[in-house]
Amino acid sequence: MKLKYLLIYCILFICTLYPAQNTLIDGLKNQLSGNDISTAEKFRIYNELTEYYRVSDQYPTAEKYVQQQLELAQKQNNYAEQVKALTQKGIIKLNQSKYDKVPSLIDESNAIAQKSNDKIASLYASYLNIYYNNALGKPENTIKLIQKTLPLVEKQSSEIILNAKLNYILYGIYTEWNDAENATKYAKKAIDLAEKSDNKNLLSSAYSALAVCYSFQYEKTGDLKDLKPVIEMCKKAGALYHQFPGHVSAHVQAMALLNLINYYLNYPVMTPEIRSEIQNNANEILTLTQHTTLNQGMQAGALGILSNLATRDHNNTLAEQYLLKAEQILLTQQPVYYHVMINVVRDLAKLYAEQKNYQKAFEYESKVTEYSNLLFDEGQAETAKRLEAQYQSQRKESELKALTEKTASLKKEKLLYISLGIIGLIGAFFMFRSYHFKLRYSIERENKLDTEKHEAEMQIKLQEEEQARLKAEQELLTLQQQKLQSEVLASQLHIQHKNEVLQQLQTQLSDTDINIHQVVRGENRVDNDFEKIRFTIQELHPDFFKNINEKAKQKLTTLDLKYCAYLYLGMDTKQIANLLSVEPKSVRMTKYRLKKKFGLDENTALESFFQGVFSE
């Protein structure tokens, strides 16, 4: 059973991207020879032509287009297309079982991908490695590589078909393992991706793949209801050819019909409708394969089915004719497709035995043995090639691992030497810096000491000059104080004289005859006396009135300035009242008002405040 699924999977995978019709291929060739075609379109056509001839086993022609694609990609510095061409070249070698030719192509693809840092190139390099591991029969490695690559492919919306191919490979692996659940999951993913890509060939093959997955359940139960979904998927695969004319290749359609017929033959009762459909489909397969190459296996299969129907009708002669024709067709292919040939000669042996033609029966039984041995030998040779390729691959991996470890060791050793060298340089640098710092510190300290000595000498000289200047100023201040004292004394005498004048004026005012001119002259003398006092204050402290005006929070009047001068000279309230001929109460009110103007509190004496102004 496992071999049956494996054969179906291999045939389906080969047909995955089979081009629609020969007419389409001819059209692609005509486009390629045109002058107005873009480079991008050329690459697309090269990929399709290479795929067509590769799956047709026309490897020389496929390699010709691969080489043209590779040369154009190198000329255009298109790294993605270079890797795509190398990938196709590697797959062609694998299809020819030339496993030893592929590792160098994988290395070249990886080198281009790494050099270019192109994401698409990297994905196709990975795909070639995946295909190689799958061809060598290393499913575990294949799955690991796909699990690593598939998330990156899914991020590239332009690579839906590559995504579908990877899922199809996973479907095939799980089919070989009889894992129906996972096989079904990946077959369904392949269907979804095929629908998105609008590739009907891929979609038809994916439907056939899902039919294989559904057949697992039927093989277990034998229940007819489990066969119906299998038939349904096969019909979907075959219907695309007629729904989308020209989009599904004859080869893919023939394969879909062959699968459908094989499942129909599992019906316990063959109704006339089913028989008619089987016969029509078999004849359609023969018609379709007339236009394809290397179709001997499918033609022989269709003839075998017609032989089966003739046998059911007890028409042994017709059944024999179909089988003999199938044998002849298979012999035209080199190498012979032994899997189908064994079934054909076995059916002939059985047919001749029923006809009691034992000589012919023995002859074909011998052929069964002969072809079985040839198939075994072919399988052994193929297995030997794969084992040799696996051995070379493992040896290369071991050498690569050893080389990687050696490189890592050398790198660590190199890093160690570099580190030691750096440490030595750093040590030498710090030693030099330390010596340089000490030398510079010594020079700076010596310079600093010289500077400090010079500054100390200058400081002593300045102190001596300052002392001489202070002494001269002190002598000058002493002279000024003596002068001021005499001037203040003279001012006080003038004030006393003014007081006597005022007392006389007061006496005169008691008389009826008042000389007003004398009163005015008296007032003028008071003002003159104030001017003298002001002159005395300004001589004592030139900025006195300027300072008190600056200290005041409000504007000061002339009378306010007089009060300030009197208070600064140390006169008390009674003296000021007598001088200004006002009541002491008025003087106290004025002093209160002055405190407000200067922003002083009640406990601060104006006399002390003015003395402070003088001392500033």
Side-chain angles (χ1 to χ4, degrees):
M1 186 64 191
K2 181 177 179 181
L3 180 60
K4 171 188 172 184
Y5 292 138
L6 178 58
L7 292 175
I8 294 174
Y9 157 69
C10 291
I11 295 173
L12 288 175
F13 186 65
I14 290 173
C15 301
T16 299
L17 290 178
Y18 205 98
Q21 295 287 359
N22 285 337
T23 54
L24 177 60
I25 297 303
D26 292 338
L28 291 175
K29 290 180 180 178
N30 292 333
Q31 289 183 37
L32 193 60
S33 61
N35 296 324
D36 57 345
I37 185 172
S38 66
T39 304
E41 189 66 12
K42 281 186 179 180
F43 284 131
R44 183 188 68 80
I45 294 173
Y46 278 134
N47 282 303
E48 289 196 25
L49 289 174
T50 301
E51 189 73 15
Y52 168 77
Y53 288 109
R54 181 184 66 80
V55 299
S56 301
D57 291 343
Q58 298 182 37
Y59 300 122
T61 307
E63 288 181 326
K64 179 187 75 172
Y65 286 112
V66 165
Q67 187 61 33
Q68 291 178 7
Q69 178 183 357
L70 186 59
E71 290 174 359
L72 179 62
Q74 290 172 344
K75 183 178 179 181
Q76 297 291 328
N77 289 326
N78 191 322
Y79 300 110
E81 291 298 331
Q82 287 184 47
V83 177
K84 284 182 182 180
L86 291 171
T87 299
Q88 284 282 25
K89 193 173 183 179
I91 292 173
I92 290 170
K93 299 299 181 185
L94 291 172
N95 290 347
Q96 296 175 298
S97 300
K98 297 179 179 179
Y99 303 105
D100 57 323
K101 305 294 184 181
V102 180
S104 61
L105 296 173
I106 293 175
D107 293 340
E108 187 176 355
S109 299
N110 289 330
I112 294 173
Q114 291 176 1
K115 173 186 175 182
S116 65
N117 199 25
D118 187 288
K119 292 181 180 179
I120 303 300
S122 178
L123 293 177
Y124 275 91
S126 299
Y127 176 63
L128 178 56
N129 193 26
I130 290 168
Y131 202 103
Y132 177 65
N133 277 269
N134 191 47
L136 292 183
K138 300 166 71 175
E140 291 83 2
N141 285 355
T142 303
I143 289 177
K144 288 179 181 179
L145 292 170
I146 291 176
Q147 289 174 342
K148 182 179 179 180
T149 305
L150 194 56
L152 302 176
V153 175
E154 290 172 346
K155 294 178 181 179
Q156 301 295 328
S157 58
S158 62
E159 298 302 324
I160 298 177
I161 293 178
L162 180 59
N163 193 351
K165 284 184 176 183
L166 293 173
N167 280 280
Y168 202 95
I169 292 175
L170 288 172
Y171 145 77
I173 292 173
Y174 285 109
T175 299
E176 292 178 38
W177 289 348
N178 291 323
D179 187 342
E181 181 180 354
N182 280 311
T184 302
K185 178 176 74 172
Y186 291 111
K188 286 181 177 180
K189 283 187 177 181
I191 289 175
D192 292 338
L193 292 166
E195 289 176 343
K196 290 178 181 178
S197 69
D198 201 33
N199 189 305
K200 305 307 177 185
N201 275 300
L202 178 59
L203 184 58
S204 178
S205 297
Y207 279 141
S208 297
L210 189 57
V212 173
C213 297
Y214 287 159
S215 67
F216 280 95
Q217 183 66 20
Y218 174 70
E219 294 291 337
K220 288 181 181 179
T221 63
D223 194 336
L224 189 60
K225 68 179 180 62
D226 292 326
L227 184 59
K228 288 182 178 179
V230 179
I231 300 295
E232 181 182 353
M233 286 298 108
C234 288
K235 284 186 174 182
K236 279 189 174 184
L240 293 172
Y241 182 81
H242 302 287
Q243 291 174 1
F244 303 95
H247 288 267
V248 179
S249 70
H251 192 89
V252 171
Q253 176 66 5
M255 193 65 230
L257 294 176
L258 190 60
N259 288 335
L260 177 60
I261 291 171
N262 285 327
Y263 289 122
Y264 266 140
L265 292 174
N266 287 319
Y267 269 83
V269 178
M270 184 175 293
T271 64
E273 293 79 11
I274 292 177
R275 178 192 169 83
S276 176
E277 188 170 352
I278 290 174
Q279 189 165 357
N280 292 335
N281 288 342
N283 289 326
E284 185 177 353
I285 290 170
L286 292 174
T287 303
L288 290 168
T289 52
Q290 291 177 2
H291 306 290
T292 59
T293 57
L294 297 175
N295 50 38
Q296 290 88 340
M298 285 188 291
Q299 285 184 329
L303 291 169
I305 290 166
L306 292 174
S307 173
N308 183 284
L309 293 178
T311 302
R312 289 173 183 260
D313 295 337
H314 305 289
N315 190 343
N316 292 334
T317 302
L318 183 60
E320 181 185 3
Q321 291 176 1
Y322 283 134
L323 290 173
L324 289 173
K325 186 176 181 181
E327 182 185 14
Q328 292 174 0
I329 290 173
L330 286 171
L331 289 173
T332 62
Q333 180 176 335
Q334 291 300 327
V336 175
Y337 197 61
Y338 293 114
H339 294 284
V340 179
M341 179 64 87
I342 290 170
N343 290 328
V344 170
V345 295
R346 183 180 287 120
D347 287 345
L348 281 168
K350 182 179 179 182
L351 181 63
Y352 287 131
E354 290 176 357
Q355 293 177 355
K356 300 187 184 304
N357 188 344
Y358 298 113
Q359 182 178 355
K360 285 282 187 181
F362 177 76
E363 179 184 342
Y364 278 97
E365 280 294 342
S366 300
K367 286 186 177 182
V368 170
T369 304
E370 178 187 354
Y371 288 131
S372 296
N373 290 333
L374 290 172
L375 178 62
F376 177 78
D377 292 341
E378 186 182 76
Q380 288 293 97
E382 183 70 15
T383 301
K385 284 184 179 180
R386 289 185 179 181
L387 290 174
E388 176 63 22
Q390 287 181 3
Y391 169 74
Q392 295 296 338
S393 176
Q394 289 174 355
R395 189 178 73 173
K396 183 179 179 181
E397 289 176 359
S398 299
E399 290 175 353
L400 181 61
K401 184 178 179 181
L403 182 61
T404 302
E405 291 176 353
K406 184 178 180 180
T407 303
S409 177
L410 290 173
K411 187 176 180 181
K412 288 180 180 178
E413 186 176 348
K414 183 178 180 180
L415 288 174
L416 178 61
Y417 287 139
I418 292 173
S419 300
L420 291 174
I422 292 173
I423 292 172
L425 289 174
I426 292 173
F429 172 77
F430 278 111
M431 288 177 64
F432 173 76
R433 289 289 295 174
S434 176
Y435 170 76
H436 179 71
F437 175 77
K438 289 180 178 178
L439 179 62
R440 187 177 65 179
Y441 176 76
S442 177
I443 293 171
E444 288 179 352
R445 182 175 178 82
E446 184 176 352
N447 292 336
K448 186 177 180 180
L449 290 173
D450 292 340
T451 303
E452 290 177 351
K453 180 179 179 181
H454 179 70
E455 288 178 352
E457 292 175 350
M458 291 295 296
Q459 188 69 25
I460 293 171
K461 185 176 180 181
L462 289 173
Q463 287 179 355
E464 292 176 350
E465 292 177 354
E466 183 68 15
Q467 289 177 357
R469 185 183 62 80
L470 290 174
K471 183 177 180 181
E473 288 181 354
Q474 185 68 32
E475 293 175 352
L476 181 60
L477 286 174
T478 302
L479 293 174
Q480 288 178 346
Q481 286 178 355
Q482 292 175 356
K483 180 180 177 182
L484 289 174
Q485 287 177 356
S486 60
E487 289 178 352
V488 168
L489 181 60
S491 296
Q492 289 177 348
L493 292 176
H494 282 296
I495 291 170
Q496 289 177 359
H497 175 72
K498 185 175 72 81
N499 289 336
E500 292 176 358
V501 172
L502 290 174
Q503 288 177 359
Q504 292 176 2
L505 180 60
Q506 185 178 7
T507 304
Q508 291 175 0
L509 287 175
S510 60
D511 296 335
T512 54
D513 295 329
I514 301 173
N515 190 339
I516 191 65
H517 295 290
Q518 292 180 354
V519 173
V520 171
R521 283 195 299 268
E523 289 297 325
N524 287 334
R525 284 198 302 273
V526 172
D527 291 337
N528 290 333
D529 290 339
F530 172 74
E531 289 300 326
K532 293 178 180 179
I533 294 171
R534 179 176 177 176
F535 173 79
T536 301
I537 293 174
Q538 285 184 337
E539 285 292 321
L540 184 65
H541 196 301
D543 295 328
F544 175 79
F545 290 108
K546 177 183 176 183
N547 289 346
I548 62 173
N549 275 308
E550 290 177 354
K551 295 287 184 178
K553 306 295 182 181
Q554 300 177 23
K555 186 176 180 180
L556 299 175
T557 64
T558 304
L559 183 60
D560 292 335
L561 293 175
K562 290 180 180 181
Y563 272 96
C564 293
Y566 294 149
L567 291 170
Y568 174 71
L569 292 174
M571 295 183 180
D572 57 21
T573 301
K574 184 177 180 181
Q575 289 174 328
I576 295 172
N578 291 331
L579 287 172
L580 296 178
S581 301
V582 295
E583 294 293 329
K585 180 179 180 182
S586 177
V587 175
R588 286 193 292 271
M589 288 299 295
T590 301
K591 289 170 69 175
Y592 176 77
R593 182 169 49 82
L594 287 174
K595 285 185 179 182
K596 294 293 183 181
K597 286 188 177 184
F598 286 106
L600 304 176
D601 55 27
E602 294 181 357
N603 297 325
T604 302
L606 285 171
E607 294 82 356
S608 301
F609 172 72
F610 292 135
Q611 293 297 327
V613 172
F614 170 72
S615 63
E616 289 180 351

